[in-house]
Amino acid sequence: MKFSRCVYLTIAILFAKTSVAFGQDAPAISGPMVGHTTESSAIIWMYAPKASKLEIDFSEATEANPKATMIFDSVVNPAGDLSGAPYKVTLRDLKPLTSYKYQVKVDGRADPAHCGSLQTAPPVDKGSKFRLAVTSCMKFGQPQKSWEWLLGEKPNLHVTLGDTQYSDTTNPTIQWKHHLRYRAVPEFSAVLKSIPTYAMWDDHDYGPNNSDGTATGKENSLVGWNQFWGNPASGTAATPGAFFKFSWSDVEFFILDGRYHRSPDNAPDDDQKRMLGDAQFAWLIDGLKISKAKFKVIASGSTLSDSKNDGWRIYTYARQRLFDAIGDNKISGVVYMSGDIHRSRVWTHPESDRVGYPLIEVISSGVANSKTLSFATVDFDTTADDPTVQVRIVHGDGETHADKTWKLSDLTPDK
Ligand SMILES: [Fe+2]
């Protein structure tokens, strides 16, 4: 059995124009998308008509023939009431830091648009050099050039921090139509099919603008969200939510859900006001305390200070509780990442004395919905005696607008 020729023509088709008229039927097929990837596995996501048979042929990029064929699982009880459904499969027994190519077949048909490639992760807890791309806020009908710049940066993984579509509802059918329309954008599709992507929602893809834990129908949003992305987990057995953690090399990522348990923005800013909810906060701090990672990334759509009406700035007790927990437990190497505000920057928070060292915030917002069309790249080098984190902000014209590097020793509290 041989691979379809399309595997070798991927670059040529990546930017082929696809037109999807919204308001008509949603696309019948969407994907592939590479989700959570480890040193030995990778989740592949597709959307196709219900009751389709989906298979995937894959092999190391250098091999002429498929190493194996696997069958996708159809997602049970699709949350969206559409003619199609999401499908997922986990490729297993992969080698670390190895490039693979794949071809998805829908009912036996190997469409050139449904092939892609991926590179597996380095071993967990081992030092490595790798590049993370961070994005948020992407909208259909806006310039999409930034995705081409992002792909050109060759990130090893991609974390997107919300407003991945702007349906402003908790109705999964409408949410999915928006997701499907945006995933047909060729520049975005090219990223999803080759860069392992992890996603957290913000307000517009969770519910209405600036929505919170009181949003009616949030349970439906959560089911639909998890069926439409390839994240490693969602919440815990005891606590619902979209939050999850994963490791890449010896960097651990805590991707926070800043919506599901959030107190309303207009609640009094006192010790009763919550950004994460107590259970998610405890999960975060417990995870930070036991983490052996050199750097610990905490990420959420909400900025620490920039947004005057929808971020930690109006949750000052909750923010101080977070900072104090990091400081009191002497947790080193924390870097905060956020989105939401339709511009990007990197800075250190002035309340860093609570943390015990400069708390970096990487804000990446507006990759395809802003004047700057910007995103962030974050290069980790944990092979050095004193590991480093380098943050760059790239605008939609391809220009680098910030470039800052910190050493782990800079982000370590005094003994
Ligand atoms: Fe946004």
Side-chain angles (χ1 to χ4, degrees), residues 263-270 273 314:
S263 303
D265 283 338
N266 62 5
D269 188 11
D270 58 23
K273 192 173 187 178
I314 52 174

Side-chain angles (χ1 to χ4, degrees), residues 136-138 162-163 166 202-204 339-342 365-366 369:
S136 73
C137 298
M138 53 208 74
D163 296 348
Y166 285 77
D202 202 26
D203 50 342
H204 296 285
D340 178 46
I341 60 170
H342 296 204
S365 178
N369 186 20

Side-chain angles (χ1 to χ4, degrees), residues 219-273:
E219 299 82 3
N220 301 329
S221 264
L222 183 60
V223 173
W225 177 261
N226 288 325
Q227 292 179 348
F228 244 62
W229 292 99
N231 291 333
S234 174
T236 65
T239 308
F243 59 97
F244 59 91
K245 63 178 181 175
F246 68 98
S247 292
W248 196 278
S249 177
D250 47 4
V251 177
E252 190 161 12
F253 294 79
F254 298 83
I255 311 296
L256 304 180
D257 184 340
R259 295 293 161 184
Y260 203 89
H261 300 283
R262 182 189 189 113
S263 303
D265 283 338
N266 62 5
D269 188 11
D270 58 23
D271 63 359
Q272 297 302 305
K273 192 173 187 178

Side-chain angles (χ1 to χ4, degrees), residues 121-133:
V124 168
D125 296 335
K126 291 244 171 70
S128 176
K129 296 179 186 177
F130 66 92
R131 175 167 291 168
L132 162 73

Side-chain angles (χ1 to χ4, degrees), residues 62-80:
T62 53
E63 294 174 3
N65 298 313
K67 170 188 176 188
T69 299
M70 293 184 71
I71 311 287
F72 281 74
D73 289 326
S74 175
V75 169
V76 178
N77 298 326

Side-chain angles (χ1 to χ4, degrees), residues 203-224:
D203 50 342
H204 296 285
D205 41 4
Y206 160 79
N209 185 34
N210 295 350
S211 49
D212 52 54
T214 66
T216 303
K218 66 179 183 180
E219 299 82 3
N220 301 329
S221 264
L222 183 60
V223 173

